[in-house]
Every structure is written in structure tokens, then in C-alpha cells.
Amino acid sequence: MTSETLLAIEHLRAGYGETEVLRGIDLIVKAGEIVTVLGSNGVGKSTLNRTVSGIVRAQGGSIRFAGEAIEREKPPAIVARGLIHVPEGRRIFPNLTVRENLDLGSYARAKPRRAQNRERVFAIFPRLRERMSQHAGTLSGGEQQMLAIGRGLMAEPKLLILDEPSLGLSPLLVEELFALIKRIHAEGVAILLVEQNVVESLEVADRAYILADGQFAMSGTAAEIAADPELKRTYLGL
């Protein structure tokens, strides 16, 4: 694993209006890593993702991506740098075809290599090739999640943020999804995996952070976190 730091967050504070959700957090993702952020509903996981990707403006602290400060940049500029956020809830365009949804992923970045990247996505998600001309709204939940991730890959991410990708999926589809996440990572894409699914996330991740009430309560290697039953009982309700 390379030691290059892709994402470095220091003392980050963010929220909505006068409500502070993130209360001074530090996080690092290095090139080639899968880092998972775990926590229950309402602890600030989605706020973290939205702040990193520029949707929510940081109220304090710093966010550096590939060595450059991005905490004041707007989402299109952050996407152009190669930091790609696949949001919770998939957010596909139901009335467009699978192919059209994928092609939109390369609109702001990697447009000259659209066809090449589409083939790469189809190699990872063969089911999307089979449904290339189908309207996205007619796909199953699992297929829509594949499409959302595939659309993110069309932009050639240096870092892919996955926000609750297993949400609403059956156990069988969750297992398939995490196998696909490992395959994407094996192709050299660093991943920030923000999830409630503790067991599967710790199995694929290199390192883990536990988010509780807007702060990281614990962090360590995924193996350390997985081996600590007290930690899981205290912060994850397991």
C-alpha cells in the first residue's frame, strides 16, 4: 500500500444553520485503502460525506484532497479533482436508461474516455450490460445501487465515497455488493465506505472509524475494531 495521503480531514466542524453535527473530527484516507466510517442513524455520517463533497459548507477545520485544500470549493470543482460521492438513496434518473445514467457520470470528468469507462463498469457489473437499454426506474434495488456506483466509476475516481450502499438490500444482495466493492478496490480505487453494516464493512476495510454524536469515538485497524466486543456494544449497539 502506498503511503500517499489522498484525503486528510482535521478538526472538521459542520452542520445546518445553528445546529452543529460534526464537532471536530480528524480522518485520513491513503491511496489504495478502504476506510470505513461506522455509526448508527443520526450520528453525522451523511453530513460528513456531504461536507467532504462540498454540498454542506464546513464551519471549521480543514479538508485536503491530494494535498490541496477543498473545504471552500463547490461540488463540481471537487468532482473534477477525482473525489466522487455516491450518495445514500442511489439518486439515479429513473426515466433515463442504464446507459444514459452511466454516461452522465462522465459529464464533468473523463468524458473523452466515456466508452472505455463504460466497458470497465460493465466488466464489474455484468448485469448492467444486460439492462443497458432498460429504464433505470425499472431496475431492482440491488441493480439500482450497482448503477449508482457504476455512474461514480465513470468519472475515474481517485477516491470513491460510498454512503450507505447496502441500505435496503436483502442479505444476499448485501453480500454480493461487498464482493463488488472489493473488486473495485482491487482495481486501485481508494474507498471511503460509510455504513451501518458493521460486520461486512470491517471484513473489507483496512481501517475503521466509529462515529458517535458528531465525533470519532474510536479508530484503528478494521481487525482491532472487529475484535473489540466492548467497543461494538458501547458505540454501535451490537
Side-chain angles (χ1 to χ4, degrees):
M1 181 188 301
T2 177
S3 60
E4 177 193 357
T5 298
L6 271 183
L7 180 67
I9 296 172
E10 293 186 352
H11 313 309
L12 181 64
R13 295 186 295 105
Y16 308 94
E18 296 182 0
T19 303
E20 189 174 63
V21 177
L22 301 178
R23 301 185 293 116
I25 64 173
D26 301 319
L27 175 146
I28 287 178
V29 181
K30 295 182 178 180
E33 280 192 311
I34 297 181
V35 172
T36 188
V37 174
L38 301 169
S40 56
N41 274 333
V43 297
K45 301 192 305 298
S46 289
T47 300
L48 170 61
N49 292 340
R50 291 174 187 147
T51 306
V52 171
S53 58
I55 299 168
V56 171
R57 179 60 60 92
Q59 297 173 348
S62 66
I63 307 170
R64 299 184 72 83
F65 182 67
E68 300 291 332
I70 64 168
E71 65 269 9
R72 297 298 171 194
E73 290 191 344
K74 294 182 178 179
I78 293 172
V79 168
R81 291 182 179 276
L83 196 161
I84 309 299
H85 176 196
V86 179
E88 178 185 346
R90 299 152 196 161
R91 309 284 176 87
I92 59 165
F93 296 94
N95 295 324
L96 299 181
T97 66
V98 166
R99 176 173 174 160
E100 288 167 341
N101 269 272
L102 289 175
D103 287 353
L104 282 172
S106 63
Y107 179 77
R109 178 176 162 84
K111 196 171 183 178
R113 293 175 297 281
R114 175 179 288 171
Q116 175 184 336
N117 288 335
R118 194 190 306 124
E119 285 302 309
R120 177 190 177 205
V121 169
F122 287 153
I124 296 171
F125 303 108
R127 213 171 305 167
L128 295 183
R129 186 193 297 276
E130 297 168 6
R131 289 153 174 71
M132 182 166 50
S133 301
Q134 192 170 320
H135 282 148
T138 66
L139 301 177
S140 70
E143 290 164 348
Q144 289 184 11
Q145 186 62 71
M146 292 175 192
L147 178 57
I149 296 173
R151 186 176 59 191
L153 291 175
M154 289 290 291
E156 297 181 357
K158 295 178 181 177
L159 174 63
L160 188 66
I161 300 178
L162 299 178
D163 191 348
E164 302 277 15
S166 73
L167 190 66
L169 300 184
S170 70
L172 188 61
L173 285 175
V174 167
E175 189 173 335
E176 181 180 357
L177 174 70
F178 277 90
L180 292 167
I181 289 172
K182 286 199 290 186
R183 178 168 178 181
I184 293 167
H185 174 246
E187 294 197 359
V189 180
I191 296 172
L192 179 59
L193 176 63
V194 181
E195 262 284 356
Q196 291 187 64
N197 190 316
V198 175
V199 175
E200 296 277 5
S201 297
L202 291 176
E203 284 182 357
V204 301
D206 298 296
R207 294 186 297 108
Y209 292 81
I210 307 298
L211 189 59
D213 193 25
Q215 294 181 309
F216 287 135
M218 294 289 291
S219 64
T221 68
E224 289 169 346
I225 300 296
D228 191 334
E230 182 61 32
L231 175 73
K232 290 193 285 189
R233 278 197 299 271
T234 303
Y235 295 110
L236 299 174
L238 298 177

